[in-house]
Short mmCIF file of all heavy atoms in Angstrom, two decimals:
data_model
loop_
_atom_site.label_atom_id
_atom_site.label_comp_id
_atom_site.label_asym_id
_atom_site.label_seq_id
_atom_site.Cartn_x
_atom_site.Cartn_y
_atom_site.Cartn_z
N MET A 1 0.82 -1.20 0.00
CA MET A 1 0.00 0.00 0.00
C MET A 1 0.87 1.27 0.00
O MET A 1 0.59 2.19 -0.74
CB MET A 1 -0.93 -0.04 1.23
CG MET A 1 -1.87 1.11 1.32
SD MET A 1 -3.07 1.02 0.00
CE MET A 1 -4.12 2.34 0.42
N LYS A 2 1.90 1.28 0.84
CA LYS A 2 2.78 2.45 0.89
C LYS A 2 3.54 2.61 -0.41
O LYS A 2 3.73 3.73 -0.89
CB LYS A 2 3.74 2.35 2.07
CG LYS A 2 3.06 2.53 3.40
CD LYS A 2 4.06 2.47 4.55
CE LYS A 2 3.34 2.61 5.87
NZ LYS A 2 4.28 2.59 6.99
N ARG A 3 3.97 1.51 -0.98
CA ARG A 3 4.70 1.57 -2.25
C ARG A 3 3.82 2.17 -3.35
O ARG A 3 4.28 2.97 -4.15
CB ARG A 3 5.17 0.18 -2.67
CG ARG A 3 6.13 -0.44 -1.73
CD ARG A 3 7.52 -0.38 -2.30
NE ARG A 3 8.43 -1.06 -1.40
CZ ARG A 3 9.60 -0.57 -1.06
NH1 ARG A 3 9.98 0.57 -1.54
NH2 ARG A 3 10.38 -1.23 -0.24
N ARG A 4 2.56 1.78 -3.36
CA ARG A 4 1.63 2.31 -4.36
C ARG A 4 1.44 3.82 -4.16
O ARG A 4 1.40 4.58 -5.13
CB ARG A 4 0.28 1.60 -4.27
CG ARG A 4 -0.71 2.15 -5.29
CD ARG A 4 -1.99 1.37 -5.30
NE ARG A 4 -1.73 0.13 -6.04
CZ ARG A 4 -2.42 -0.98 -5.86
NH1 ARG A 4 -3.37 -1.02 -4.98
NH2 ARG A 4 -2.15 -2.04 -6.57
N ARG A 5 1.37 4.25 -2.92
CA ARG A 5 1.24 5.68 -2.62
C ARG A 5 2.47 6.45 -3.09
O ARG A 5 2.36 7.52 -3.68
CB ARG A 5 1.01 5.88 -1.12
CG ARG A 5 0.82 7.31 -0.71
CD ARG A 5 -0.54 7.83 -1.13
NE ARG A 5 -0.70 9.20 -0.68
CZ ARG A 5 -1.28 10.14 -1.40
NH1 ARG A 5 -1.82 9.84 -2.56
NH2 ARG A 5 -1.37 11.36 -0.96
N ILE A 6 3.64 5.89 -2.84
CA ILE A 6 4.88 6.51 -3.29
C ILE A 6 4.89 6.62 -4.81
O ILE A 6 5.26 7.67 -5.37
CB ILE A 6 6.11 5.74 -2.76
CG1 ILE A 6 6.23 5.93 -1.24
CG2 ILE A 6 7.39 6.19 -3.46
CD1 ILE A 6 7.24 5.04 -0.56
N GLU A 7 4.49 5.57 -5.50
CA GLU A 7 4.44 5.59 -6.96
C GLU A 7 3.47 6.65 -7.47
O GLU A 7 3.76 7.38 -8.42
CB GLU A 7 4.06 4.22 -7.49
CG GLU A 7 5.13 3.17 -7.30
CD GLU A 7 4.65 1.77 -7.66
OE1 GLU A 7 3.53 1.62 -8.20
OE2 GLU A 7 5.40 0.82 -7.38
N THR A 8 2.30 6.73 -6.84
CA THR A 8 1.30 7.71 -7.24
C THR A 8 1.80 9.14 -7.05
O THR A 8 1.65 9.99 -7.94
CB THR A 8 0.00 7.50 -6.43
OG1 THR A 8 -0.48 6.18 -6.67
CG2 THR A 8 -1.07 8.51 -6.82
N LEU A 9 2.42 9.40 -5.91
CA LEU A 9 2.95 10.74 -5.64
C LEU A 9 4.10 11.08 -6.58
O LEU A 9 4.22 12.21 -7.05
CB LEU A 9 3.40 10.84 -4.18
CG LEU A 9 2.27 10.80 -3.16
CD1 LEU A 9 2.83 10.58 -1.76
CD2 LEU A 9 1.44 12.08 -3.21
N THR A 10 4.93 10.09 -6.88
CA THR A 10 6.05 10.30 -7.80
C THR A 10 5.52 10.66 -9.18
O THR A 10 6.01 11.61 -9.81
CB THR A 10 6.93 9.02 -7.88
OG1 THR A 10 7.47 8.78 -6.57
CG2 THR A 10 8.04 9.18 -8.88
N ARG A 11 4.52 9.94 -9.65
CA ARG A 11 3.92 10.26 -10.96
C ARG A 11 3.33 11.66 -10.97
O ARG A 11 3.44 12.39 -11.96
CB ARG A 11 2.85 9.24 -11.33
CG ARG A 11 3.43 8.04 -12.06
CD ARG A 11 2.36 7.11 -12.61
NE ARG A 11 2.43 5.88 -11.82
CZ ARG A 11 1.52 5.46 -10.97
NH1 ARG A 11 0.41 6.12 -10.81
NH2 ARG A 11 1.69 4.36 -10.28
N ALA A 12 2.71 12.05 -9.86
CA ALA A 12 2.12 13.39 -9.77
C ALA A 12 3.20 14.46 -9.90
O ALA A 12 3.02 15.45 -10.62
CB ALA A 12 1.36 13.55 -8.45
N LEU A 13 4.33 14.27 -9.21
CA LEU A 13 5.41 15.24 -9.32
C LEU A 13 5.96 15.32 -10.74
O LEU A 13 6.23 16.41 -11.25
CB LEU A 13 6.54 14.90 -8.34
CG LEU A 13 6.25 15.20 -6.88
CD1 LEU A 13 7.44 14.76 -6.02
CD2 LEU A 13 5.97 16.68 -6.67
N LEU A 14 6.10 14.18 -11.39
CA LEU A 14 6.57 14.18 -12.77
C LEU A 14 5.57 14.88 -13.67
O LEU A 14 5.96 15.64 -14.58
CB LEU A 14 6.84 12.75 -13.24
CG LEU A 14 7.98 12.02 -12.51
CD1 LEU A 14 8.03 10.56 -12.94
CD2 LEU A 14 9.31 12.71 -12.75
N ASP A 15 4.30 14.68 -13.43
CA ASP A 15 3.25 15.36 -14.21
C ASP A 15 3.28 16.87 -13.99
O ASP A 15 2.94 17.63 -14.89
CB ASP A 15 1.87 14.82 -13.85
CG ASP A 15 1.63 13.40 -14.36
OD1 ASP A 15 2.43 12.93 -15.22
OD2 ASP A 15 0.69 12.76 -13.89
N TYR A 16 3.67 17.31 -12.80
CA TYR A 16 3.77 18.73 -12.51
C TYR A 16 5.04 19.36 -13.09
O TYR A 16 5.24 20.56 -13.01
CB TYR A 16 3.73 18.99 -11.00
CG TYR A 16 2.34 19.03 -10.43
CD1 TYR A 16 1.95 18.16 -9.43
CD2 TYR A 16 1.39 19.96 -10.88
CE1 TYR A 16 0.68 18.20 -8.89
CE2 TYR A 16 0.11 20.00 -10.36
CZ TYR A 16 -0.23 19.12 -9.36
OH TYR A 16 -1.50 19.16 -8.83
N GLY A 17 5.92 18.55 -13.64
CA GLY A 17 7.09 19.09 -14.30
C GLY A 17 8.41 18.87 -13.59
O GLY A 17 9.44 19.34 -14.05
N TYR A 18 8.38 18.17 -12.47
CA TYR A 18 9.64 17.85 -11.81
C TYR A 18 10.41 16.85 -12.67
O TYR A 18 9.81 16.03 -13.37
CB TYR A 18 9.40 17.22 -10.43
CG TYR A 18 9.10 18.24 -9.35
CD1 TYR A 18 7.83 18.76 -9.19
CD2 TYR A 18 10.09 18.65 -8.48
CE1 TYR A 18 7.55 19.68 -8.20
CE2 TYR A 18 9.83 19.58 -7.48
CZ TYR A 18 8.55 20.09 -7.35
OH TYR A 18 8.29 21.01 -6.37
N HIS A 19 11.72 16.93 -12.61
CA HIS A 19 12.56 15.99 -13.33
C HIS A 19 12.81 14.76 -12.46
O HIS A 19 12.72 14.82 -11.24
CB HIS A 19 13.90 16.63 -13.70
CG HIS A 19 13.75 17.78 -14.65
ND1 HIS A 19 13.58 17.61 -16.00
CD2 HIS A 19 13.73 19.12 -14.43
CE1 HIS A 19 13.46 18.78 -16.58
NE2 HIS A 19 13.54 19.71 -15.65
N VAL A 20 13.13 13.64 -13.11
CA VAL A 20 13.36 12.39 -12.39
C VAL A 20 14.44 12.57 -11.33
O VAL A 20 14.29 12.11 -10.20
CB VAL A 20 13.75 11.26 -13.38
CG1 VAL A 20 14.17 10.01 -12.64
CG2 VAL A 20 12.59 10.96 -14.32
N ARG A 21 15.50 13.27 -11.66
CA ARG A 21 16.58 13.48 -10.68
C ARG A 21 16.11 14.29 -9.48
O ARG A 21 16.56 14.05 -8.36
CB ARG A 21 17.77 14.18 -11.34
CG ARG A 21 18.52 13.26 -12.27
CD ARG A 21 19.72 13.95 -12.83
NE ARG A 21 20.32 13.13 -13.86
CZ ARG A 21 21.61 12.95 -13.97
NH1 ARG A 21 22.43 13.52 -13.14
NH2 ARG A 21 22.08 12.19 -14.94
N GLN A 22 15.23 15.24 -9.68
CA GLN A 22 14.69 16.00 -8.56
C GLN A 22 13.89 15.10 -7.63
O GLN A 22 14.02 15.18 -6.42
CB GLN A 22 13.81 17.15 -9.07
CG GLN A 22 14.56 18.24 -9.76
CD GLN A 22 13.62 19.24 -10.38
OE1 GLN A 22 12.80 18.91 -11.23
NE2 GLN A 22 13.75 20.50 -9.96
N VAL A 23 13.07 14.25 -8.21
CA VAL A 23 12.26 13.33 -7.41
C VAL A 23 13.16 12.33 -6.68
O VAL A 23 12.95 12.04 -5.49
CB VAL A 23 11.21 12.60 -8.28
CG1 VAL A 23 10.43 11.59 -7.46
CG2 VAL A 23 10.26 13.61 -8.93
N GLN A 24 14.18 11.85 -7.35
CA GLN A 24 15.13 10.94 -6.71
C GLN A 24 15.78 11.60 -5.51
O GLN A 24 15.95 10.98 -4.46
CB GLN A 24 16.20 10.48 -7.71
CG GLN A 24 15.71 9.50 -8.73
CD GLN A 24 16.76 9.20 -9.79
OE1 GLN A 24 17.64 10.03 -10.05
NE2 GLN A 24 16.64 8.05 -10.42
N HIS A 25 16.16 12.85 -5.66
CA HIS A 25 16.79 13.58 -4.56
C HIS A 25 15.83 13.74 -3.38
O HIS A 25 16.23 13.55 -2.22
CB HIS A 25 17.27 14.95 -5.05
CG HIS A 25 17.94 15.76 -4.00
ND1 HIS A 25 19.20 15.48 -3.54
CD2 HIS A 25 17.50 16.82 -3.28
CE1 HIS A 25 19.52 16.34 -2.60
NE2 HIS A 25 18.50 17.17 -2.43
N ILE A 26 14.59 14.06 -3.65
CA ILE A 26 13.58 14.19 -2.60
C ILE A 26 13.46 12.87 -1.83
O ILE A 26 13.47 12.85 -0.60
CB ILE A 26 12.21 14.60 -3.19
CG1 ILE A 26 12.28 16.00 -3.77
CG2 ILE A 26 11.10 14.48 -2.14
CD1 ILE A 26 11.11 16.36 -4.66
N VAL A 27 13.36 11.78 -2.56
CA VAL A 27 13.20 10.46 -1.95
C VAL A 27 14.45 10.10 -1.14
O VAL A 27 14.35 9.63 0.00
CB VAL A 27 12.90 9.39 -3.02
CG1 VAL A 27 12.98 8.00 -2.44
CG2 VAL A 27 11.53 9.64 -3.64
N GLU A 28 15.62 10.34 -1.70
CA GLU A 28 16.86 10.01 -1.00
C GLU A 28 17.00 10.81 0.29
O GLU A 28 17.37 10.26 1.33
CB GLU A 28 18.07 10.27 -1.90
CG GLU A 28 18.21 9.27 -3.02
CD GLU A 28 19.27 9.66 -4.03
OE1 GLU A 28 19.97 10.68 -3.82
OE2 GLU A 28 19.38 8.95 -5.04
N GLU A 29 16.72 12.09 0.23
CA GLU A 29 16.85 12.93 1.43
C GLU A 29 15.84 12.54 2.50
O GLU A 29 16.16 12.52 3.68
CB GLU A 29 16.67 14.41 1.06
CG GLU A 29 17.85 14.98 0.31
CD GLU A 29 19.14 14.96 1.12
OE1 GLU A 29 19.13 15.38 2.28
OE2 GLU A 29 20.15 14.48 0.58
N ALA A 30 14.63 12.24 2.09
CA ALA A 30 13.59 11.87 3.05
C ALA A 30 13.87 10.52 3.69
O ALA A 30 13.52 10.30 4.86
CB ALA A 30 12.22 11.85 2.37
N GLY A 31 14.50 9.62 2.97
CA GLY A 31 14.70 8.27 3.46
C GLY A 31 16.05 8.02 4.10
O GLY A 31 16.37 6.88 4.42
N LYS A 32 16.83 9.07 4.34
CA LYS A 32 18.18 8.88 4.86
C LYS A 32 18.23 8.28 6.26
O LYS A 32 19.11 7.49 6.56
CB LYS A 32 18.94 10.20 4.88
CG LYS A 32 19.61 10.51 3.59
CD LYS A 32 20.50 11.71 3.72
CE LYS A 32 21.24 11.94 2.42
NZ LYS A 32 22.10 13.11 2.50
N ASN A 33 17.34 8.66 7.13
CA ASN A 33 17.41 8.24 8.53
C ASN A 33 16.27 7.29 8.88
O ASN A 33 15.19 7.38 8.34
CB ASN A 33 17.35 9.45 9.46
CG ASN A 33 18.48 10.42 9.19
OD1 ASN A 33 19.61 10.00 8.96
ND2 ASN A 33 18.18 11.70 9.22
N GLY A 34 16.55 6.41 9.80
CA GLY A 34 15.49 5.56 10.32
C GLY A 34 15.43 4.18 9.71
O GLY A 34 16.18 3.81 8.83
N ARG A 35 14.51 3.42 10.25
CA ARG A 35 14.28 2.04 9.78
C ARG A 35 13.43 2.06 8.52
O ARG A 35 12.82 3.05 8.17
CB ARG A 35 13.58 1.26 10.88
CG ARG A 35 14.40 1.14 12.17
CD ARG A 35 13.70 0.26 13.18
NE ARG A 35 12.32 0.64 13.37
CZ ARG A 35 11.85 1.26 14.45
NH1 ARG A 35 12.64 1.55 15.45
NH2 ARG A 35 10.57 1.55 14.55
N ALA A 36 13.37 0.92 7.87
CA ALA A 36 12.70 0.82 6.57
C ALA A 36 11.24 1.28 6.63
O ALA A 36 10.79 2.04 5.78
CB ALA A 36 12.78 -0.62 6.05
N GLU A 37 10.48 0.81 7.63
CA GLU A 37 9.07 1.20 7.69
C GLU A 37 8.90 2.69 7.97
O GLU A 37 7.96 3.32 7.49
CB GLU A 37 8.29 0.36 8.72
CG GLU A 37 8.77 0.48 10.15
CD GLU A 37 9.90 -0.48 10.50
OE1 GLU A 37 10.35 -1.23 9.63
OE2 GLU A 37 10.32 -0.46 11.66
N MET A 38 9.82 3.27 8.73
CA MET A 38 9.76 4.70 9.01
C MET A 38 10.21 5.50 7.79
O MET A 38 9.72 6.61 7.56
CB MET A 38 10.62 5.05 10.22
CG MET A 38 10.09 4.49 11.52
SD MET A 38 11.20 4.78 12.90
CE MET A 38 11.19 6.55 13.00
N MET A 39 11.14 4.95 7.02
CA MET A 39 11.61 5.63 5.82
C MET A 39 10.48 5.80 4.82
O MET A 39 10.35 6.86 4.21
CB MET A 39 12.77 4.86 5.18
CG MET A 39 14.05 4.98 5.96
SD MET A 39 15.54 4.22 5.24
CE MET A 39 14.98 3.17 3.97
N GLU A 40 9.67 4.77 4.65
CA GLU A 40 8.55 4.88 3.71
C GLU A 40 7.59 5.98 4.14
O GLU A 40 7.13 6.75 3.30
CB GLU A 40 7.81 3.56 3.60
CG GLU A 40 8.57 2.51 2.82
CD GLU A 40 7.81 1.20 2.70
OE1 GLU A 40 6.99 0.89 3.60
OE2 GLU A 40 8.03 0.48 1.72
N ASP A 41 7.31 6.09 5.43
CA ASP A 41 6.43 7.15 5.92
C ASP A 41 7.05 8.53 5.67
O ASP A 41 6.36 9.46 5.26
CB ASP A 41 6.14 6.97 7.41
CG ASP A 41 5.25 5.77 7.69
OD1 ASP A 41 4.50 5.35 6.78
OD2 ASP A 41 5.32 5.24 8.81
N ALA A 42 8.35 8.65 5.92
CA ALA A 42 9.03 9.92 5.70
C ALA A 42 9.03 10.30 4.22
O ALA A 42 8.83 11.46 3.86
CB ALA A 42 10.46 9.84 6.22
N ILE A 43 9.22 9.31 3.36
CA ILE A 43 9.20 9.57 1.92
C ILE A 43 7.82 10.02 1.48
O ILE A 43 7.68 10.98 0.72
CB ILE A 43 9.66 8.31 1.14
CG1 ILE A 43 11.15 8.07 1.38
CG2 ILE A 43 9.34 8.43 -0.34
CD1 ILE A 43 11.65 6.71 0.91
N ILE A 44 6.79 9.36 1.96
CA ILE A 44 5.41 9.75 1.62
C ILE A 44 5.13 11.16 2.08
O ILE A 44 4.56 11.97 1.34
CB ILE A 44 4.40 8.74 2.20
CG1 ILE A 44 4.50 7.41 1.45
CG2 ILE A 44 2.97 9.29 2.14
CD1 ILE A 44 3.75 6.27 2.08
N GLU A 45 5.52 11.51 3.30
CA GLU A 45 5.32 12.87 3.81
C GLU A 45 6.00 13.90 2.93
O GLU A 45 5.42 14.94 2.60
CB GLU A 45 5.87 12.99 5.23
CG GLU A 45 4.91 12.61 6.31
CD GLU A 45 5.48 12.89 7.69
OE1 GLU A 45 6.09 13.97 7.88
OE2 GLU A 45 5.33 12.03 8.55
N ALA A 46 7.25 13.63 2.57
CA ALA A 46 8.00 14.57 1.74
C ALA A 46 7.35 14.72 0.37
O ALA A 46 7.16 15.85 -0.11
CB ALA A 46 9.45 14.12 1.61
N LEU A 47 7.00 13.62 -0.26
CA LEU A 47 6.38 13.68 -1.58
C LEU A 47 5.04 14.41 -1.53
O LEU A 47 4.74 15.21 -2.42
CB LEU A 47 6.21 12.27 -2.15
CG LEU A 47 7.49 11.54 -2.55
CD1 LEU A 47 7.17 10.10 -2.94
CD2 LEU A 47 8.22 12.25 -3.67
N GLU A 48 4.25 14.15 -0.49
CA GLU A 48 2.97 14.85 -0.35
C GLU A 48 3.17 16.35 -0.23
O GLU A 48 2.42 17.13 -0.82
CB GLU A 48 2.20 14.32 0.86
CG GLU A 48 1.59 12.95 0.63
CD GLU A 48 0.92 12.37 1.86
OE1 GLU A 48 1.22 12.81 3.00
OE2 GLU A 48 0.10 11.45 1.69
N ALA A 49 4.18 16.76 0.52
CA ALA A 49 4.45 18.19 0.67
C ALA A 49 4.83 18.82 -0.66
O ALA A 49 4.36 19.92 -1.00
CB ALA A 49 5.56 18.40 1.70
N TYR A 50 5.65 18.14 -1.42
CA TYR A 50 6.06 18.66 -2.73
C TYR A 50 4.88 18.69 -3.70
O TYR A 50 4.75 19.62 -4.50
CB TYR A 50 7.21 17.86 -3.31
CG TYR A 50 8.57 18.33 -2.82
CD1 TYR A 50 9.11 17.81 -1.65
CD2 TYR A 50 9.28 19.30 -3.51
CE1 TYR A 50 10.35 18.25 -1.18
CE2 TYR A 50 10.51 19.74 -3.05
CZ TYR A 50 11.04 19.21 -1.89
OH TYR A 50 12.25 19.65 -1.43
N VAL A 51 4.01 17.70 -3.66
CA VAL A 51 2.84 17.69 -4.53
C VAL A 51 1.92 18.86 -4.18
O VAL A 51 1.41 19.55 -5.07
CB VAL A 51 2.09 16.33 -4.46
CG1 VAL A 51 0.73 16.42 -5.13
CG2 VAL A 51 2.92 15.24 -5.11
N LYS A 52 1.71 19.11 -2.89
CA LYS A 52 0.88 20.25 -2.48
C LYS A 52 1.48 21.56 -2.97
O LYS A 52 0.77 22.44 -3.46
CB LYS A 52 0.73 20.28 -0.96
CG LYS A 52 -0.19 19.22 -0.43
CD LYS A 52 -0.28 19.28 1.08
CE LYS A 52 -1.08 18.11 1.62
NZ LYS A 52 -1.12 18.11 3.09
N PHE A 53 2.80 21.69 -2.82
CA PHE A 53 3.48 22.90 -3.29
C PHE A 53 3.32 23.06 -4.80
O PHE A 53 2.99 24.15 -5.29
CB PHE A 53 4.97 22.83 -2.92
CG PHE A 53 5.79 23.93 -3.51
CD1 PHE A 53 5.75 25.20 -2.97
CD2 PHE A 53 6.61 23.69 -4.61
CE1 PHE A 53 6.50 26.23 -3.52
CE2 PHE A 53 7.38 24.70 -5.16
CZ PHE A 53 7.32 25.97 -4.61
N ALA A 54 3.52 21.99 -5.54
CA ALA A 54 3.40 22.05 -7.00
C ALA A 54 1.98 22.40 -7.42
O ALA A 54 1.78 23.17 -8.36
CB ALA A 54 3.83 20.71 -7.61
N ALA A 55 1.00 21.87 -6.73
CA ALA A 55 -0.40 22.17 -7.05
C ALA A 55 -0.70 23.65 -6.82
O ALA A 55 -1.37 24.28 -7.64
CB ALA A 55 -1.33 21.30 -6.21
N ARG A 56 -0.18 24.20 -5.72
CA ARG A 56 -0.39 25.63 -5.45
C ARG A 56 0.29 26.49 -6.52
O ARG A 56 -0.28 27.47 -6.98
CB ARG A 56 0.15 26.01 -4.07
CG ARG A 56 -0.78 25.65 -2.94
CD ARG A 56 -0.35 26.34 -1.66
NE ARG A 56 1.04 26.03 -1.35
CZ ARG A 56 1.43 25.26 -0.36
NH1 ARG A 56 0.56 24.72 0.43
NH2 ARG A 56 2.71 25.03 -0.16
N CYS A 57 1.51 26.12 -6.90
CA CYS A 57 2.22 26.86 -7.93
C CYS A 57 1.46 26.83 -9.25
O CYS A 57 1.31 27.86 -9.91
CB CYS A 57 3.62 26.30 -8.12
SG CYS A 57 4.75 26.69 -6.77
N LYS A 58 1.01 25.67 -9.63
CA LYS A 58 0.28 25.55 -10.89
C LYS A 58 -1.01 26.35 -10.83
O LYS A 58 -1.37 27.01 -11.81
CB LYS A 58 -0.02 24.07 -11.18
CG LYS A 58 -0.67 23.87 -12.53
CD LYS A 58 -0.85 22.42 -12.87
CE LYS A 58 -1.46 22.29 -14.25
NZ LYS A 58 -1.61 20.90 -14.64
N GLN A 59 -1.70 26.31 -9.70
CA GLN A 59 -2.95 27.05 -9.55
C GLN A 59 -2.71 28.55 -9.71
O GLN A 59 -3.55 29.25 -10.26
CB GLN A 59 -3.55 26.76 -8.18
CG GLN A 59 -4.87 27.42 -7.93
CD GLN A 59 -5.42 27.10 -6.54
OE1 GLN A 59 -4.68 26.65 -5.67
NE2 GLN A 59 -6.68 27.34 -6.34
N GLN A 60 -1.55 29.01 -9.28
CA GLN A 60 -1.22 30.44 -9.38
C GLN A 60 -0.56 30.79 -10.71
O GLN A 60 -0.18 31.93 -10.96
CB GLN A 60 -0.31 30.85 -8.23
CG GLN A 60 -0.98 30.75 -6.88
CD GLN A 60 -0.02 31.02 -5.73
OE1 GLN A 60 1.15 31.33 -5.94
NE2 GLN A 60 -0.51 30.92 -4.52
N GLY A 61 -0.40 29.78 -11.57
CA GLY A 61 0.13 30.01 -12.90
C GLY A 61 1.64 30.01 -12.99
O GLY A 61 2.21 30.45 -13.98
N HIS A 62 2.31 29.53 -11.95
CA HIS A 62 3.77 29.47 -11.97
C HIS A 62 4.24 28.13 -12.53
O HIS A 62 3.61 27.12 -12.37
CB HIS A 62 4.34 29.64 -10.55
CG HIS A 62 3.95 30.92 -9.92
ND1 HIS A 62 4.42 32.14 -10.36
CD2 HIS A 62 3.13 31.18 -8.88
CE1 HIS A 62 3.91 33.10 -9.60
NE2 HIS A 62 3.12 32.55 -8.70
N ASN A 63 5.42 28.18 -13.15
CA ASN A 63 6.03 26.97 -13.67
C ASN A 63 6.97 26.43 -12.61
O ASN A 63 7.72 27.18 -12.00
CB ASN A 63 6.80 27.30 -14.95
CG ASN A 63 7.25 26.06 -15.68
OD1 ASN A 63 6.95 24.94 -15.27
ND2 ASN A 63 7.96 26.26 -16.77
N ILE A 64 6.97 25.13 -12.38
CA ILE A 64 7.80 24.50 -11.34
C ILE A 64 9.27 24.57 -11.71
O ILE A 64 10.11 24.89 -10.90
CB ILE A 64 7.37 23.03 -11.12
CG1 ILE A 64 5.93 22.95 -10.65
CG2 ILE A 64 8.30 22.35 -10.12
CD1 ILE A 64 5.63 23.64 -9.35
N CYS A 65 9.60 24.23 -12.93
CA CYS A 65 11.01 24.12 -13.32
C CYS A 65 11.49 25.34 -14.05
O CYS A 65 10.85 26.00 -14.71
CB CYS A 65 11.21 22.89 -14.19
SG CYS A 65 10.74 21.39 -13.32
#
C-alpha cells in the first residue's frame, strides 16, 4: 500500500514538471534516517508536501522548473 502511494505521488510530481533526478533527490533525502518502515512514511510525507506545493504553484500560474 505504501509503495503504491509513493508511486502515485512520484507520478504526480513528474506530471507537474519535476525531473526524475529532482524526485530521486527528494526520496533520498527523506529516506536517509530511520528504519525501513519509518523511511517509507518519511518519503510519503515529503512527496505529499512537494505535490501540495506544486499544485499551489500551478494554480497560481507558476512553472515549477
